[in-house]
Amino acid sequence: CWTLVLFLLILYMLGIVFRQAFGPYPGQNLTELCGYADDIEINEQTLDPDIECKVHYMYGEEFFGTVSKSMFTGFRFMLGDYSSRGGKSLAVAF
Protein backbone atom coordinates (compact mmCIF):
# COMPACT_ATOMS: atom_id res chain seq x y z
CA CYS A 1 0.00 0.00 0.00
CA TRP A 2 2.76 2.48 0.89
CA THR A 3 4.57 1.71 -2.39
CA LEU A 4 1.49 2.77 -4.37
CA VAL A 5 1.27 6.01 -2.38
CA LEU A 6 4.98 6.68 -2.94
CA PHE A 7 4.62 5.93 -6.67
CA LEU A 8 1.64 8.29 -6.99
CA LEU A 9 3.48 10.98 -5.07
CA ILE A 10 6.44 10.73 -7.45
CA LEU A 11 4.08 10.86 -10.44
CA TYR A 12 2.35 13.91 -8.97
CA MET A 13 5.66 15.71 -8.48
CA LEU A 14 6.72 14.83 -12.03
CA GLY A 15 3.36 16.07 -13.30
CA ILE A 16 3.82 19.44 -11.62
CA VAL A 17 7.38 19.83 -12.91
CA PHE A 18 6.47 18.73 -16.47
CA ARG A 19 3.39 21.00 -16.49
CA GLN A 20 5.49 24.01 -15.54
CA ALA A 21 8.37 23.16 -17.88
CA PHE A 22 6.56 21.97 -21.01
CA GLY A 23 2.92 23.02 -20.60
CA PRO A 24 1.16 25.92 -22.30
CA TYR A 25 1.19 29.49 -21.12
CA PRO A 26 -2.01 30.76 -19.45
CA GLY A 27 -4.59 31.51 -22.13
CA GLN A 28 -2.68 29.67 -24.84
CA ASN A 29 -4.88 27.45 -27.03
CA LEU A 30 -2.84 26.36 -30.06
CA THR A 31 -4.84 23.16 -30.53
CA GLU A 32 -7.91 25.21 -31.39
CA LEU A 33 -5.92 27.61 -33.57
CA CYS A 34 -3.58 25.20 -35.38
CA GLY A 35 -5.00 21.69 -34.89
CA TYR A 36 -3.01 18.77 -33.53
CA ALA A 37 0.77 18.69 -33.82
CA ASP A 38 0.71 15.29 -35.56
CA ASP A 39 -1.12 16.88 -38.48
CA ILE A 40 1.65 19.42 -39.09
CA GLU A 41 4.69 18.38 -41.08
CA ILE A 42 7.98 19.45 -39.49
CA ASN A 43 9.97 21.59 -41.92
CA GLU A 44 11.83 24.90 -41.94
CA GLN A 45 8.57 26.87 -41.81
CA THR A 46 7.34 25.20 -38.61
CA LEU A 47 10.74 25.71 -36.98
CA ASP A 48 10.71 29.43 -37.88
CA PRO A 49 10.82 31.48 -34.66
CA ASP A 50 8.24 33.96 -35.98
CA ILE A 51 5.50 31.42 -36.72
CA GLU A 52 2.79 31.00 -34.08
CA CYS A 53 2.12 27.25 -34.50
CA LYS A 54 5.39 25.82 -33.20
CA VAL A 55 5.29 22.04 -32.97
CA HIS A 56 6.90 21.74 -29.54
CA TYR A 57 4.39 24.22 -28.06
CA MET A 58 1.53 22.24 -29.59
CA TYR A 59 2.84 18.92 -28.21
CA GLY A 60 3.36 20.63 -24.86
CA GLU A 61 -0.25 21.75 -24.81
CA GLU A 62 -1.54 18.33 -25.87
CA PHE A 63 0.51 16.16 -23.50
CA PHE A 64 1.34 18.57 -20.65
CA GLY A 65 -1.70 20.88 -20.66
CA THR A 66 -2.86 19.92 -17.15
CA VAL A 67 -1.23 18.23 -14.17
CA SER A 68 -3.22 15.03 -14.80
CA LYS A 69 -2.14 14.93 -18.47
CA SER A 70 1.45 15.53 -17.35
CA MET A 71 1.19 12.72 -14.81
CA PHE A 72 -0.11 10.31 -17.46
CA THR A 73 2.60 11.36 -19.91
CA GLY A 74 5.23 10.87 -17.18
CA PHE A 75 3.81 7.41 -16.53
CA ARG A 76 4.05 6.62 -20.24
CA PHE A 77 7.67 7.83 -20.23
CA MET A 78 8.42 5.45 -17.35
CA LEU A 79 7.10 2.60 -19.48
CA GLY A 80 9.23 3.68 -22.45
CA ASP A 81 6.44 5.07 -24.63
CA TYR A 82 7.78 8.31 -26.07
CA SER A 83 5.41 8.56 -29.04
CA SER A 84 2.45 10.73 -29.90
CA ARG A 85 -0.90 9.51 -31.20
CA GLY A 86 0.46 9.57 -34.75
CA GLY A 87 3.58 7.60 -33.80
CA LYS A 88 5.98 10.56 -33.89
CA SER A 89 8.64 10.78 -31.19
CA LEU A 90 7.99 13.30 -28.43
CA ALA A 91 11.65 13.32 -27.47
CA VAL A 92 12.56 14.82 -30.85
CA ALA A 93 9.99 17.63 -30.48
CA PHE A 94 11.49 18.84 -27.21
Side-chain angles (χ1 to χ4, degrees), residues 77-92:
F77 285 176
M78 288 180 185
L79 295 177
D81 182 15
Y82 301 105
S83 61
S84 66
R85 282 190 269 167
K88 294 181 181 179
S89 175
L90 290 176
V92 172

Side-chain angles (χ1 to χ4, degrees), residues 31 36-38 57-65 69 84-85:
T31 305
Y36 289 105
D38 283 338
Y57 287 152
M58 294 169 63
Y59 277 131
E61 185 176 317
E62 184 176 352
F63 292 101
F64 303 103
K69 284 182 183 180
S84 66
R85 282 190 269 167

Side-chain angles (χ1 to χ4, degrees), residues 43-92:
N43 55 30
E44 288 182 20
Q45 182 182 1
T46 57
L47 297 176
D48 183 17
D50 296 329
I51 194 166
E52 190 171 351
C53 297
K54 296 179 183 174
V55 175
H56 62 285
Y57 287 152
M58 294 169 63
Y59 277 131
E61 185 176 317
E62 184 176 352
F63 292 101
F64 303 103
T66 63
V67 174
S68 60
K69 284 182 183 180
S70 298
M71 287 174 64
F72 183 68
T73 304
F75 177 70
R76 288 180 53 207
F77 285 176
M78 288 180 185
L79 295 177
D81 182 15
Y82 301 105
S83 61
S84 66
R85 282 190 269 167
K88 294 181 181 179
S89 175
L90 290 176
V92 172

